[in-house]
Amino acid sequence: MEKIPLTRAGFNRLDAELKKLKSVERPAIIQAISEARELGDLSENAEYHSAREKQSFIEGRIKEIESILGLAQVIDPKTMSGSVKFSATVKIVDVDTDEEKSYQIVGEQEADLEKGLLNVKSPLARALIGKDEGDTVDVRTPGGTRSYEILEILFV
């Protein structure tokens, strides 16, 4: 199986979610199912069916996270330097609008654009990887091609 690259922060977030699911969510849903069973006829018991659906979701998420963590390759950005690569934080500027943005290039499981965490498989990340400060990259977007200049590369 292929390793899944994660930053230390991404690994820790997933590990914390797994612990919460196992120690808080799972026992709570088992209790909710037990209470719903006590209400009688299960075929028309909405609380029971809702609790079973939630239990199915929780168990699926637990398996998913365990699989990800089992295949995780934790990459520490502090050990890196040089051109843009996985775990780098890249400050870029849109050549047309002068809008500056900063993104950390992370694995699929931890990507969140609102938090500045850019999926390593995204078109922008793929264009940035291997480039250096001062380089310009062109990225094809649904709205047309955009050009970005790399202002700074940090490994923090």
Side-chain angles (χ1 to χ4, degrees), residues 13-58:
R13 273 192 299 277
L14 285 172
D15 191 47
E17 181 183 350
L18 179 62
K19 287 176 181 165
K20 180 181 178 197
L21 287 170
K22 285 183 165 183
S23 65
V24 177
E25 300 291 331
R26 183 187 269 167
I29 201 64
I30 290 170
Q31 179 65 33
I33 289 171
S34 175
E35 290 172 5
R37 273 195 179 128
E38 293 173 3
L39 297 175
D41 184 12
L42 298 181
S43 65
E44 295 182 18
N45 187 329
E47 290 85 2
Y48 175 77
H49 292 292
S50 174
R52 292 290 296 184
E53 277 184 37
K54 187 171 182 183
Q55 180 187 34
S56 176
F57 172 79
I58 289 170

Side-chain angles (χ1 to χ4, degrees), residues 90-123:
V90 185
K91 186 175 182 182
I92 59 174
V93 61
D94 186 313
V95 174
D96 297 326
T97 66
D98 286 335
E99 181 183 359
E100 290 185 12
K101 296 179 183 177
S102 185
Y103 296 109
Q104 182 179 21
I105 299 176
V106 299
E108 276 184 278
Q109 279 63 24
E110 55 189 317
D112 184 346
L113 271 181
E114 291 179 9
K115 294 180 180 176
L117 302 173
L118 184 64
N119 182 345
V120 69
K121 294 183 178 181
S122 71

Side-chain angles (χ1 to χ4, degrees), residues 126-144:
R126 288 195 315 248
L128 292 170
I129 289 177
K131 302 295 191 275
D132 294 305
E133 288 180 11
D135 287 351
T136 300
V137 297
D138 293 324
V139 181
R140 194 176 311 179
T141 68

